[in-house]
Amino acid sequence: MVRFENVGMRYGPGPEVLRDVTFVLEAGSFTFLTGPSGAGKTTLLKLMLLAEPPSRGLITLFGHDLATARRGAFPALRRRIGVVFQDFRLLDHLSAFENVALPLRLAGRREEDYRQDVEELLTWVGLGDRMAAPPPTLSGGEQQRVAIARAVVARPDLLLADEPTGNVDSEIGQRLIRLFSELNRLGTTVLIATHDRSLIEKSRAKEMRLVDGRLVELRAQRP
Amino acid sequence: MTARRPAHIMPREKGTTPLDLVIAVMAFLAALALGASLVANRTADSWRAGLAGRISVQVLPPDKGPPEPALSRETAAALAILQNTDGIVHAAPLSQGEILKLVEPWLGQSALVADLPLPRMIDATIMPGVRVDIPALARKLKAAAPDSVLDDHSHWIARLRGLADTVIWSAYAILALIAVATAAIVAFATRASLEAHHEIVALLHQMGAHARFIASAFDRHYLLATLGAAAAGAGLAAALFLIAGSLEYAGVQPVSFLPPLTLHALEIPWLAAVPLGAGAIAWVTARLSVLAALREIY
């Protein structure tokens, strides 16, 4: 699904943020990415979601070597990835419903075809009564749930989440993790970057830890 | 359930923007230039149609001695030659009243004008499709009436056509300049809008939106905004042409020897080309600007 081989990344002439990162995310796996602030977690996610090209090394995504893949193929690859950004990145002029529906709209689906799915998903994340609300009127936790719903609505092949439970209480947090687990059970490969040890301890998922831009595999996925 | 239109992917700017005002003013100027070219073209055609196939003979008063009876004798001789020339279907001298009317724009209506030794004029019409040997006819007229001058108007037709062409090509040059300026300001506005909405564009790009999907959000906005603003500008110009037309109808003609700056009913719809052209320029410019900017993103 995702393969990194000796990947390095630096911004401009600065020091390397990631060094010789090598790992494989198998299809259908569930992985936590941990590490202290500034260790390079967000940069690693950016490389995986095709936001930045690596400075060196080889990245293979869905079987495509990104160094040789046509740029024209990138939009289709990106649509196979669901992303929960740390800062949510919701569109303030759209309603919660329209934000969640965005990936389906980009995939060319018509509103009458996806309306029910989006409404059910928003209800499931506890926002059934806030569908028409624009993000600036939602609390931080509500915005986070909209961002998560947007990331999962198109049932992506790969789900990347940067601190997805940072702004919600533990009950909602567990509920969101169950949503990710359910997606994972249906075949989505999940990678969650988090500081929340309680989430990791309750899970049997693999844990990869970044320290000073280098990757250490702490724990393999338990059966 | 009834289908409804999805919300705009980009936030809408509300009210009239400076860009709308600039586009409206430029469309107004473009419509004036286009209207002027239509008037010039029509006027040149009517002048040419009025003069083509016509010749006139001017019999000048003799340099020495009294104008009469020499003027009358030479006029009669010239008229006889014209009437006996193959291909000329009609030849008749202009009355004194008609001659006075011809010089009225320059000399006025004073009674003194009638006392001046004015030349006699003979107007003749050539049968359509027949070629008359003008130099040979001029020589025959000169022999019979030494003070006669033959004018087949070709010189005037060429000069009027040249004048009209100058006006028309000047109008086209103005239209081209306005088109370039429109493209430049739309490109500038699109770049500014891309900067302002950078986060939205980056997010859509990140979520796998095709460049043409993102571009369509911008080009549609600029197409509609430009169509509206340019329609207002061109509409104002059309109103001015209609007012000028109604003034002409009421008998007001500011400069008597220049054609009135009015458009006929069938010419007014041509002004719709201005908003349509401006809209097309805006659409293409916005689209190319966004696509170029997106190519710079990984």
Side-chain angles (χ1 to χ4, degrees):
Chain A
M1 177 66 64
V2 182
R3 175 185 292 275
F4 275 47
E5 290 178 50
N6 298 315
V7 171
M9 178 65 182
R10 70 170 79 237
Y11 293 101
E16 273 201 325
V17 183
L18 294 177
R19 293 180 204 135
D20 296 320
V21 172
T22 299
F23 68 90
V24 175
L25 289 187
E26 300 291 352
S29 61
F30 195 119
T31 308
F32 286 108
L33 178 65
T34 61
S37 296
K41 297 193 295 295
T42 301
T43 299
L44 183 62
L45 290 180
K46 278 185 179 174
L47 295 179
M48 291 176 76
L49 57 89
L50 306 182
E52 301 276 357
S55 304
R56 61 185 174 87
L58 183 68
I59 299 177
T60 308
L61 190 64
F62 308 125
H64 296 265
D65 175 356
L66 298 186
T68 57
R70 283 186 311 109
R71 289 282 295 277
F74 280 19
L77 296 179
R78 289 186 176 110
R79 284 199 297 276
R80 295 173 68 181
I81 306 171
V83 187
V84 183
F85 297 98
Q86 196 169 9
D87 54 357
F88 317 142
R89 298 199 199 171
L90 301 175
L91 301 188
D92 288 349
H93 65 288
L94 299 183
S95 67
F97 174 91
E98 287 159 346
N99 268 285
V100 173
L102 203 49
L104 303 172
R105 204 170 148 185
L106 295 182
R109 287 179 58 184
R110 296 162 58 86
E111 185 175 330
E112 53 265 37
D113 297 333
Y114 60 66
R115 170 162 280 279
Q116 192 178 349
D117 291 346
V118 174
E119 286 176 348
E120 281 177 5
L121 182 57
L122 274 167
T123 303
W124 205 86
V125 297
L127 294 171
D129 56 344
R130 307 301 312 272
M131 289 189 204
T137 66
L138 299 174
S139 69
E142 288 172 330
Q143 289 186 30
Q144 191 157 31
R145 281 179 274 160
V146 173
I148 289 169
R150 184 181 66 186
V152 303
V153 70
R155 295 193 181 168
D157 293 326
L158 174 64
L159 179 74
L160 305 174
D162 199 357
E163 298 288 356
T165 57
N167 285 283
V168 293
D169 59 37
S170 60
E171 188 190 340
I172 293 286
Q174 288 300 327
R175 193 167 182 176
L176 293 175
I177 291 297
R178 281 209 305 279
L179 174 62
F180 293 151
S181 299
E182 183 63 19
L183 264 181
N184 178 240
R185 199 180 58 76
L186 292 171
T188 296
T189 304
V190 178
L191 178 83
I192 298 175
T194 184
H195 282 104
D196 190 344
R197 293 302 311 172
S198 68
L199 281 183
I200 301 163
E201 301 308 330
K202 286 177 190 161
S203 164
R204 289 176 297 189
K206 172 177 162 181
E207 181 185 352
M208 295 194 305
R209 184 171 175 79
L210 265 174
V211 182
D212 291 335
R214 292 184 187 278
L215 196 61
V216 188
E217 187 172 318
L218 285 185
R219 189 176 77 183
Q221 192 155 3
R222 289 177 286 178
Chain B
M1 183 185 295
T2 55
R4 65 183 183 87
R5 184 184 288 273
H8 288 293
I9 214 86
M10 292 291 164
R12 301 286 91 180
E13 290 184 64
K14 292 184 175 66
T16 305
T17 65
L19 177 70
D20 296 332
L21 286 175
V22 173
I23 295 279
V25 169
M26 295 217 292
F28 173 73
L29 297 175
L32 286 186
L34 181 60
S37 76
L38 291 170
V39 170
N41 197 40
R42 168 165 38 83
T43 305
D45 283 347
S46 69
W47 281 339
R48 191 168 45 191
L51 292 176
R54 305 282 290 276
I55 58 173
S56 58
V57 175
Q58 197 178 171
V59 182
L60 302 169
D63 291 337
K64 293 174 185 169
E68 290 297 348
L71 264 179
S72 295
R73 188 182 63 246
E74 289 196 29
T75 303
L79 184 63
I81 287 172
L82 290 170
Q83 287 172 336
N84 289 311
T85 300
D86 288 340
I88 291 180
V89 290
H90 173 261
L94 267 61
S95 68
Q96 180 74 359
E98 288 171 318
I99 291 172
L100 287 173
K101 205 165 180 57
L102 282 176
V103 298
E104 187 184 303
W106 288 270
L107 302 179
Q109 289 178 315
S110 166
L112 285 174
V113 177
D115 296 334
L116 291 173
L118 294 172
R120 300 284 175 83
M121 297 285 293
I122 303 170
D123 185 34
T125 307
I126 298 171
M127 188 183 288
V130 174
R131 282 185 64 86
V132 173
D133 186 349
I134 297 295
L137 179 60
R139 283 194 298 273
K140 280 173 73 176
L141 286 167
K142 209 71 178 170
D147 297 311
S148 66
V149 178
L150 174 64
D151 185 1
D152 66 350
H153 308 301
S154 58
H155 177 65
W156 281 105
I157 291 172
R159 290 192 66 173
L160 290 172
R161 186 68 246 180
L163 174 68
D165 283 347
T166 303
V167 172
I168 290 167
W169 284 106
S170 299
Y172 290 163
I174 291 169
L175 286 172
L177 285 175
I178 290 174
V180 170
T182 302
I185 61 166
V186 169
F188 181 75
T190 307
R191 283 275 169 179
S193 185
L194 273 170
E195 284 292 320
H197 300 123
H198 169 76
E199 288 185 2
I200 298 175
V201 171
L203 176 72
L204 293 173
H205 180 70
Q206 197 58 72
M207 292 174 72
H210 280 289
R212 58 180 180 275
F213 176 90
I214 299 172
S216 69
F218 284 88
D219 61 35
R220 204 162 139 252
H221 167 70
Y222 284 106
L223 168 67
L224 296 176
T226 303
L227 274 179
L236 187 60
L240 274 186
F241 280 117
L242 289 173
I243 290 169
S246 63
L247 287 177
E248 186 202 7
Y249 186 73
V252 178
Q253 197 173 358
V255 187
S256 59
F257 52 84
L258 284 181
L261 271 174
T262 59
L263 289 181
H264 293 169
L266 288 175
E267 291 169 334
I268 291 283
W270 278 103
L271 299 186
V274 171
L276 293 177
I281 289 169
W283 185 82
V284 170
T285 307
R287 192 168 186 81
L288 292 180
S289 300
V290 175
L291 291 176
L294 289 175
R295 273 196 292 273
E296 294 168 11
I297 306 177
Y298 176 60

